[in-house]
Amino acid sequence: AVAPYEKYLTKKPQDVGMLYDLANCYEKLGDNPNAVRTYQRYVDAIAAKDPAAAERARERMKAINASAF
């Protein structure tokens, strides 16, 4: 499920829609380290343009990290 996203992102690494979808996919698969890493890439790419979206992604990362314990 993640391979097409990863392949696409090698060509367009700042595509925020694809980054968010990939992070969500990792999260649903239970791959929390990659989910957090990809959400962070999303935050880095969108923070200046849409701070509210970046904050929502930060909240997802907090929730993932909290569930790890």
Side-chain angles (χ1 to χ4, degrees), residues 1-62:
V2 299
Y5 291 105
E6 290 174 342
K7 183 176 181 180
Y8 178 86
L9 287 166
T10 62
K11 296 175 184 156
K12 295 191 178 204
Q14 298 298 311
D15 185 319
V16 293
M18 292 297 270
L19 284 168
Y20 187 86
D21 289 347
L22 177 58
N24 189 41
C25 188
Y26 279 132
E27 186 177 356
K28 288 182 179 186
L29 291 170
D31 187 347
N32 292 342
N34 277 320
V36 169
R37 179 182 56 80
T38 308
Y39 277 126
Q40 186 60 58
R41 287 177 60 197
Y42 170 79
V43 167
D44 294 344
I46 202 165
K49 187 175 171 182
D50 189 345
E55 186 55 34
R56 287 190 298 274
R58 286 186 193 101
E59 291 299 320
R60 288 297 326 129
M61 289 189 289
K62 287 179 192 173

